[in-house]
Amino acid sequence: MDAVSSPCPSTPQWNYDRPFLTGQFHQDSKGHSVDIGLESEKPIGCYNASVQELIVIDDLLSALVGIEGRYISINRVGGNDDSFIFNVDGSMDLALQESSKRIFPLCKSYLIINQFVESRSQFKSGLVNHAFAAALRALLLDYQAMVAQLEHQFRLGRLSIQGLWFYCQPMMGSMQALSTVIRKASASNFVGSAVLNLLQSQAKIMAGNYLVRSLLEKMIESANSAYLGILERWVYEGVIDDPHDEFFIAENKSLQKESLTEDYDAMYWRQRYSLKDDIPSFLANSAETILTTGKSLNVMRECGHTVQVPALENSKLMNFGSNDHYLECIKSAYDFASGELLNLMKDKYDLIGKLRSIKHYLLLDQGDFLVHFMDIARDELDKTPNEISVEKLQSLLDLALRSTAAAADPLHEDVTCSVDTGSLLKRLSILKDLQTGGGGGESVSEADVVEEEPLITGMETFSVNYKVQWPLSLVISRKALTKYQLIFRFLFHCKHVHRQLCAAWQLHQGARARDMHGTAISTSSILCRNMLKFINSLLHYLTFEVLEPNWHVMHNKLENAKSIDEVIQYHDFFMEKCLKECSLLSPILLKKFEKLKLVCLQYASATQWLMSSIEAPDSNSSFDDLDSSSLENLKVLKLRKSSKKPNSPTDESTVIECVLKFEREFSSELESLRPILSSRAQAEPYLTHLAQLILGVGMDHHI
């Protein structure tokens, strides 16, 4: 998300111009010492040791709160706000100098901490720094109270230089540890998670010092308080309330839920909310859980489903202590949000029913409507893609749906038709993320698709679409529907080839019923039977070896899914597995299947001419007697390589020669498929079933 939803207020300039309001006045004025009747311009060495001690204690008490004394000066190094040097008068007694220098680190730590509090209290520093600075300010108040008590003892004449050192020692380690953290935070300008991680690491380093570690843990608890407020709203409401861009979850507002049904590359669920790099170390193991919890609540809110994570006892994320209570709260919120969203999608929006409906219409689980549709839409589908009227096809599809068992399905109105402009191979070549073929990074080249482009009709490019509404589009996105359509197109064309071969087989059976015998009919009948075996084996493999088993595996997993992430994962895995096992991700295999189907279609289209030639052996008919549509089909299907006519098309030997030509082409393509399937079946076991079915087709011997 944007770093700041609205511009942060700026710190007033007078806060910089008037240093007495900020505490940065140790170089602008001298501290007023106890009046003991001394002239300040004399070197301190002019006084005896006892008087010097009183003067030094007075100056040290001022230095402890960042105020210069008469004989102790404070100077910044190179103008840096966190680098200071304390200097003493050179004429001071050496013992007093050494005693003073032992206390200077505490004075320096105070200045560094105070400077950090002043600078990090500004609006632009972020909520974590604000909370950390507030905790430091409270600590400094205790520190200043200690200095005031020491000054009181000094005024009563009960404080010596050794006593001052004795009382300062307990604070020395804690203040130095905090100054170390502050130096690192200031040097890198840390905000948000970086500050929390720095405090955590420093606390681990000081594990051997109980007092220092305890103080750092209190600082962590205070700094976490602001972060916890952001985290609580996210895991309990699904709202990012982060004006200073400190939270470890980013929101991409440019991604809208509508993109799921329109954009193939839409990644709404994964990229609308995503993890940043700077995750607090104590939340690293729970980051994905926290992310999913808020995302689930967001989806439900966008569905208009008001939901609030139930408040449990001690559900407030007050601190990140050693008892891991915060993990229990996060896990409880995750379980509730995930379960609520899953139930919403399964019960109210009927996710399983929608997937089952898609299986009926796009995976042809119940294809009775398809038979009727192919009958009434045959003429339209025989046209080229540019000539097809999509509106007419839609009306025919609606008619087929209302005239069959699909009419009882209330979801059949979500089915619409579409016509692509290119072949299946061309479509696969466009979808780059699908080019992960079994041959190790296969890709579809232009040469693979160009040769078939002039021959394609609506039978090769027809597909159906399915209307999916939010929030089901999280699972059934445009990408998922595109993969369903690829499988549908492959199945639909196989069904078309099967229908054409069945029609050819009926012609052969009709010829046999009229007691027409001969070598030509037998040869053609055997070829037709072998082609039917091939296409039936392919359809059997696609439906009963790939789609049905994988569907049942996915269905069982969806029934036991615990979150929407698991549902998306199972569904995506199902689609990828089906595409792979249907050979759609292997251009080499797919091209072989397309070629075999083309030969089958060419033979089925030529069967009518072959049968008519055999039925009229004594007639003087010739190719000229064929109607124009038959001639056009022969041209398109490339059955004649020259314009030369045979002497007698009714001659049985001519018919046999034509049939044998198809037989040789079909056998050649089938044999070329054998080594490909055999070699790949070793590396990819699912091809074993395909190899057994397809390679077992063989060519029956002539009787």
Side-chain angles (χ1 to χ4, degrees), residues 585-606:
L585 301 186
S586 176
I588 295 177
L589 280 176
L590 182 59
K591 190 179 178 184
K592 285 293 180 184
F593 288 143
E594 292 298 311
K595 182 63 177 177
L596 281 165
K597 289 191 294 179
L598 181 61
V599 174
C600 292
L601 284 176
Q602 290 174 346
Y603 167 75
S605 298

Side-chain angles (χ1 to χ4, degrees), residues 48-204:
N48 59 42
S50 60
V51 176
Q52 287 188 38
E53 182 178 4
L54 293 176
I55 297 173
V56 170
I57 293 174
D58 183 47
D59 281 3
L60 284 174
L61 289 172
S62 298
L64 284 172
V65 290
I67 302 173
E68 289 184 327
R70 290 175 297 175
Y71 300 105
I72 296 178
S73 61
I74 306 173
N75 298 308
R76 283 193 175 92
V77 179
N80 295 330
D81 289 339
D82 58 354
S83 297
F84 302 95
I85 293 180
F86 288 79
N87 299 312
V88 296
D89 191 318
S91 63
M92 185 183 298
D93 183 77
L94 293 179
L96 291 175
Q97 287 190 38
E98 292 302 320
S99 297
S100 300
K101 290 178 180 178
R102 288 189 297 177
I103 300 176
F104 286 163
L106 180 59
C107 304
K108 184 178 181 181
S109 298
Y110 171 83
L111 285 173
I112 293 174
I113 295 172
N114 187 63
Q115 173 62 31
F116 182 84
V117 169
E118 294 289 343
S119 62
R120 293 305 185 271
S121 296
Q122 299 174 17
F123 295 109
K124 64 181 181 180
S125 300
L127 298 179
V128 173
N129 274 324
H130 291 172
F132 184 30
L136 291 173
R137 187 180 291 109
L139 176 69
L140 291 182
L141 288 176
D142 292 339
Y143 172 84
Q144 289 167 352
M146 181 201 74
V147 175
Q149 290 175 355
L150 291 175
E151 185 176 4
H152 178 65
Q153 293 297 316
F154 172 62
R155 289 181 180 275
L156 295 177
R158 300 175 184 173
L159 186 66
S160 65
I161 190 71
Q162 293 299 326
L164 180 61
W165 167 242
F166 174 79
Y167 288 117
C168 288
Q169 282 189 77
M171 291 286 290
M172 190 76 71
S174 301
M175 295 289 282
Q176 286 185 321
L178 287 174
S179 65
T180 301
V181 172
I182 288 170
R183 281 177 179 273
K184 294 178 179 178
S186 300
S188 302
N189 198 25
F190 283 161
V191 295
S193 302
V195 176
L196 300 180
N197 289 335
L198 180 60
L199 286 169
Q200 285 280 339
S201 61
Q202 192 66 26
K204 292 178 181 178

